[in-house]
Structure formats: structure tokens, C-alpha cells
Amino acid sequence: MNLTERIAYIRGLADGLKLDGDKDEVKVINAIIDLLEDMAYDVTDMEDIVDDVCNQVDEIDEDLSELEEEVYGEYDDCCCCDDEDFDDDDVYYEVTCGKCGEVITVDEDVLLEGEIVCPNCGETLEFDFSELTDDECECGCGCDHDHHDYADEDLMS
């Protein structure tokens, strides 16, 4: 049963009670039923409009898909295979935004810049590689020379 049918049912129940229309309580009940009826018709009209808009959007989407296929040709999800700027030597990384969970594909140069802005939510994503680069020698003394003990290798040969 849709809204207008339900309101008609409620109106029928109220009419079936044979209430005195001159009483204030009955006037209030009738006014509420009239209001509900008007709202039900408005909602039904809006549902029809939304259905029309959805159909138009579907048609636009189909037209756009046809246009994209005509302009770009057969589009493969690989997307970078025919790109002139694509270099097989480039390394790409997937970064997940901590705020919205969006997965963003970036190249090494972008990572080395230190930060990017998430295109989905605008959150600034920062990259810190300081823990990955260790300029100190293995012994931790801060010198730049190698403390490798070559004497042990000489003994092995």
C-alpha cells in the first residue's frame, strides 16, 4: 500500500467513526488527515520527478560512455600502457589515506617530495624516510668509513 492509499484508508476509518464535525477534536483530526494527504501527494510527485531525473542521468551516462569510447578508443584498465609519459623504469606506489581510506597511486618523485594532498578528502599525507636512510656507519660512531674486518676474510682464503 502506497502513501496515498494509506491516507485514504485513514480517512475512511475517521469517516466510519461518524464523529461530530463540529467538535474541536474532530476538526484537528480532519486537518491532520488533510495535511497528511497533501504531503502524500507531494511525496508522490517528488518520487516521479526523481525517477525522471534518474532516467535522464542514466541516458547522460550512456551518452558519455559512447563519447569516451569514440574519443579515447577502447579503454583498457591498464590505462598507462599507451601513455607517452609512461616509462617502464618508473616505480609506482600505492598510498592509503589515513583519513578516508582512498588508495592513491604515486610515483617515486612524488614520494620524495615529502607530502601530497589526498584528492578525495583534502588531507595532507606526509612521507618521512629519515628512518630508512642511515648515514652513520654500522658501529654508530658517526664516521663515514667502513669498520669491516678484512682480516677475517684473509684467514678464510
Side-chain angles (χ1 to χ4, degrees), residues 3-4 35-47:
L3 282 177
T4 54
L35 174 65
L36 289 174
E37 187 174 49
D38 290 343
M39 291 173 63
Y41 285 124
D42 288 345
V43 168
T44 302
D45 290 344
M46 283 190 272
E47 287 174 341

Side-chain angles (χ1 to χ4, degrees), residues 21-32:
D22 294 331
K23 291 186 177 182
D24 291 337
E25 299 87 15
V26 177
K27 290 179 183 179
V28 170
I29 291 173
N30 286 332
I32 291 172

